[in-house]
Amino acid sequence: MTSATHRGPRDKRMSIDDVVSRLRSGMTIGIGGWGPRRKPMALVRAMLRSDLTDLTLVSWGGADVGLLVRAGKVRKLVYAFVSLDSIPLEPNFQRARQAGTIPEIVELDEGMFQTGLRAAAQRLPFLPARAGLGSDVLVNNPWLATVTSPYDEGHGHEELVAVPALRLDAALVHLNRADPHGNATYLGPDPYFDDLFAMAADEVYVSVEQVVDTAGLTVDTPVQRLLLSRMLVTGVVETPHGAHFTTCTPDYERDEAFQKAYVAAASGSDDEWAEFEQRFLAGDEDAYQAAVRAFHEEEQK
Amino acid sequence: MSEPTRADVCAAAIADAFRDDGEIFASPMGMLPTLGVRLAKLTTNPELVISDGESLFLAGVPPLFAKADVVEGWIPFRKVFDVVANGPRHVMMGATQVDRDGNQNISAIGPFAQPRRQLLGSRGAPGNTVNNRTSYWVPKHSTRVFVERVDVVSGVGPRRAREAGAAAARFNDIHRIVTNLAVLDLGGPDDTVRLRSVHPGVTVAEVQEATGFQLAVEGEVPTTREPTVEELVIIREVLDPRSLRHREVPDA
C-alpha cells in the first residue's frame, strides 16, 4: 500500500497573502457575492495592499468594485450594477466613472451577466439570451453580437443576443464554512452565484468564516447548502469577518454604521479618503479588524 | 375616515396596475410600489405571488419593512432570472428618465463613456422589459424625469423593441407609469406615452407642464379613482401605520 492511499484529498488551506501572491497583474478576476452581500472583502483588501494592477474585474458590484477602482487597479470593469443597497449609489465607483478613470467599461444586464458566467461554466463560446435586445447595452458594447435561431417556432427565426462567455482567470468567493479540501457551504438565504463564478474560473479561492472538518459541514445544515465541491477549489482561507462590511448571514449582517463611514469618506475630499485609508486599509487584515472594533467602540461612546 | 392623501391615491393606482395579473410574481422596487402591490394582494388580486425583496416568497402580506411571516417559497436571485426568462412576472421599477417612447434610464446621465452622473447601472431593466410585464413608478413627476430622449436606454420601450425584431417585441409589455401626479401608459399614437388619468386636484395642464415631451391626450381625461374605505383602512392600519409613504409622496 502506498502512502498516497492514506492521504485523501489535499489540504488546501492557505493565507490571505498566499492567495494574493498567486494572482498576477492583467488577470481577469471574478468576485462572488452580490452588491453589498457576502463579498470576499478580506481578499479584496489584500489586493489593495498588493502591487496588482491592470485587472479585469467581473462583479455584481458593491464596495469590492468601489475600493479596487479607487485604488486604480482596474483596467476593465464588467458589471450590471454597482450598489450598496441601503445606500444605492457606490461613491467610489460613481467618482471613477464620472472622472473617466476606468479605461474600459462593459455594462451588462444582470441576467446577461449570469448567462455569460453560465457559458464560461459550460465551456461554450456564448449562450443566447433575450435580455439586452433593444437596449443600449448593445449600443454601448458594439462588439456584442446577435445570433439567429436555426429554428422557427412560429415567430420567425428569432435573433437573440449571443452573450459571450465571461471566462475568468481566477474567482474569489466568501462562504460561511469550508473543510480544508474546499468543500464549502453557504448558511444564509441566497447562494448568489458563487458556484458559477467557480466553474467559470481556472483558479478558485474561497475564504470562509470558519474551516471545519468535513463531517462538520453538514452537522447543522442540510446537504443542499454545499455549494462548492473541492474539485472546483484551488485554495481555502479562514478569514473570520472576512466579508465585513457586507452581509454574511447568519454569521453577521451588514455593518451599516461602517458602510456609512465608508461612503462619507469616499464622497468627501481626497484628504478625507486618505484618512479613511490610513485608518483602515494601510495595515494587514488583523489591523483592519482591530480598527473596525475601535471604530465601533468610539461609536458607542 | 379622513380624506385620501396623494400617497394613498398613488398606492391604489399602483394596486390597480397589478389587479388583472393573476397568479404571477409581483416584483415592486421601492416603498410605494411595495405598498401598492401588497394592497392589490389584499384586495383585487389575492393570487399575486410576493417576496420579501430578498429571497423568500411570502404566504402572508406583512406591513412595510416587517420581516416575519409564513414563507411559501424560495426565490434567490438565480431563480429570479429564471422567472424573468420564463415570464410570469410583473416588475415595477424606478426610473431616473423616461422618454416619449417609454424607454427608461437607470444607468447614467450624460454621455455613457464619461457620465455627468453615474447611477446604478442597467441592473435587470433590459431583461425585464423584453421578458415580462414592466411598469414604472416616478415619485416626482418633472421635466427632468420625462425627457424627449433618455440618455441611456436601460428599459426598452415598445418602439425600440419592435425595431430590434420579433424576439425583443414578443414579450415587451410596458404596462403603466404611475407618478405623484398621474397614471400614464404607452397607448398613444405609435405606442407613445399617453395620459390615462390625473390624480384628484391635478390638472391635465399641470401634468403636461411637468413633462418634457408632448403627452398623448384623448378626449376628457378622467380623474384617478380615490381609494375605497376598505383600501384606506388597509393602507393606514395594516400596511403602513407609520405613514412612511408620505415621506416619498408628501401631500400636495
Side-chain angles (χ1 to χ4, degrees):
Chain A
M1 196 183 284
T2 67
S3 60
T5 58
H6 291 289
R7 249 191 281 142
R10 262 180 304 142
D11 185 341
K12 296 174 185 165
R13 282 174 293 181
M14 56 177 69
S15 71
I16 292 172
D17 291 331
D18 290 336
V19 172
V20 174
S21 72
R22 288 159 177 253
L23 304 177
R24 289 171 301 283
S25 291
M27 267 188 164
T28 297
I29 298 179
I31 300 184
W34 170 279
R37 306 182 197 192
R38 203 157 47 66
K39 284 281 175 179
M41 295 301 286
L43 299 180
V44 169
R45 287 186 281 270
M47 288 167 74
L48 294 175
R49 295 192 297 271
S50 74
D51 53 11
L52 285 168
T53 184
D54 204 30
L55 301 174
T56 293
L57 218 59
V58 178
S59 176
W60 272 291
D64 54 327
V65 168
L67 284 164
L68 289 165
V69 298
R70 181 83 187 227
K73 301 220 170 265
V74 181
R75 183 184 60 76
K76 177 176 174 182
L77 177 63
V78 184
Y79 68 103
F81 64 84
V82 182
S83 175
L84 302 174
D85 277 10
S86 48
I87 298 166
L89 302 178
E90 214 293 344
N92 276 327
F93 163 68
Q94 197 174 25
R95 189 177 184 278
R97 283 283 285 137
Q98 291 168 192
T101 54
I102 310 167
E104 208 177 327
I105 284 290
V106 177
E107 181 177 298
L108 303 174
D109 163 85
E110 288 172 18
M112 287 176 79
F113 196 102
Q114 183 195 33
T115 303
L117 288 176
R118 274 189 176 150
Q122 296 171 21
R123 302 181 296 177
L124 292 169
F126 73 91
L127 279 170
R130 209 174 294 283
L133 293 172
S135 79
D136 276 355
V137 166
L138 298 192
V139 175
N140 293 327
N141 301 292
W143 52 275
L144 283 174
T146 57
V147 60
T148 302
S149 170
Y151 309 110
D152 181 350
E153 295 183 297
H155 310 280
H157 295 270
E158 286 191 283
E159 189 185 349
L160 300 157
V161 181
V163 182
L166 293 175
R167 278 186 216 296
L168 309 172
D169 295 313
L172 309 177
V173 299
H174 185 84
L175 278 80
N176 300 87
R177 308 279 181 271
D179 70 10
H181 315 298
N183 300 300
T185 63
Y186 70 102
L187 301 178
D190 197 319
Y192 309 118
F193 301 88
D194 291 350
D195 50 344
L196 267 186
F197 277 99
M199 286 189 285
D202 292 338
E203 295 167 37
V204 178
Y205 299 99
V206 52
S207 62
V208 290
E209 290 301 309
Q210 195 186 0
V211 174
V212 297
D213 64 24
T214 305
L217 287 171
T218 49
V219 161
D220 54 1
T221 195
V223 68
Q224 289 88 343
R225 287 184 185 274
L226 275 163
L227 190 65
L228 294 185
S229 156
R230 61 186 165 83
M231 65 188 171
L232 295 172
V233 173
T234 314
V236 176
V237 193
E238 190 173 66
T239 60
H241 286 96
H244 182 271
F245 48 96
T246 70
T247 63
C248 192
T249 316
D251 291 311
Y252 46 91
E253 295 303 318
R254 189 176 311 131
D255 187 341
E256 296 286 356
F258 188 88
Q259 176 164 291
K260 269 190 196 144
Y262 165 77
V263 166
S267 311
S269 65
D270 286 350
D271 283 350
E272 285 168 293
W273 179 249
E275 200 180 307
F276 181 91
E277 274 189 313
Q278 189 54 41
R279 180 170 181 192
F280 295 107
L281 301 171
D284 63 8
E285 181 65 13
D286 286 345
Y288 172 82
Q289 297 292 349
V292 170
R293 281 193 297 275
F295 166 83
H296 283 294
E297 277 161 25
E298 257 176 52
E299 290 275 295
Q300 310 243 300
K301 280 177 194 159
Chain B
M1 184 73 47
S2 58
E3 287 296 295
T5 62
R6 181 63 58 77
D8 296 336
V9 170
C10 291
I14 292 167
D16 283 351
F18 290 86
R19 67 180 299 152
D20 300 321
D21 283 339
E23 199 163 25
I24 54 111
F25 179 21
S27 257
M29 311 280 166
M31 185 167 61
L32 246 296
T34 301
L35 178 60
V37 159
R38 291 184 186 184
L39 180 63
K41 186 165 166 62
L42 288 173
T43 54
T44 55
N45 189 356
E47 298 271 57
L48 281 177
V49 176
I50 64 168
S51 82
D52 67 346
E54 192 152 349
S55 57
L56 304 174
F57 280 141
L58 303 178
V61 188
L64 290 177
F65 300 109
K67 270 217 181 262
D69 217 294
V70 179
V71 169
E72 68 171 349
W74 186 48
I75 185 73
F77 288 118
R78 59 180 60 199
K79 298 214 327 174
V80 173
F81 297 143
D82 290 341
V83 177
V84 170
N86 190 242
R89 180 168 180 261
H90 179 177
V91 60
M92 181 174 268
M93 307 185 78
T96 306
Q97 293 178 325
V98 176
D99 67 24
R100 188 183 187 158
D101 291 320
N103 301 306
Q104 168 250 29
N105 175 19
I106 48 170
S107 168
I109 300 293
F112 185 77
Q114 188 174 343
R116 280 199 305 283
R117 186 163 157 77
Q118 174 66 45
L119 307 169
L120 280 173
S122 283
R123 287 226 68 161
N128 288 340
T129 45
V130 296
N131 277 297
N132 57 226
R133 176 169 275 191
T134 303
S135 294
Y136 299 115
W137 160 244
V138 175
K140 204 167 174 199
H141 192 133
S142 79
T143 52
R144 290 167 67 93
V145 177
F146 289 95
V147 294
E148 194 65 50
R149 287 188 74 81
V150 297
D151 292 341
V152 181
V153 177
S154 313
V156 182
R159 175 199 284 263
R160 289 271 298 219
R162 254 196 333 270
E163 286 168 0
R170 264 179 86 189
F171 306 115
N172 178 257
D173 177 12
I174 310 301
H175 186 58
R176 293 281 185 277
I177 306 164
V178 180
T179 81
N180 62 321
L181 300 182
V183 179
L184 310 122
D185 67 12
L186 272 292
D190 301 321
D191 300 330
T192 53
V193 174
R194 174 178 68 174
L195 186 57
R196 282 180 71 92
S197 68
V198 291
H199 299 339
V202 179
T203 66
V204 173
E206 280 168 349
V207 178
Q208 181 59 70
E209 183 81 357
T211 305
F213 53 82
Q214 190 61 46
L215 281 169
V217 178
E218 295 161 0
E220 199 72 8
V221 176
T223 302
T224 310
R225 74 173 181 88
E226 296 202 345
T228 64
V229 171
E230 184 201 3
E231 285 175 317
L232 287 176
V233 170
I234 291 170
I235 293 168
R236 294 170 181 182
E237 310 294 329
V238 180
L239 292 176
D240 186 22
R242 288 155 63 199
S243 288
L244 299 170
R245 65 194 178 284
H246 295 128
R247 288 188 206 164
E248 193 165 3
V249 181
D251 224 14

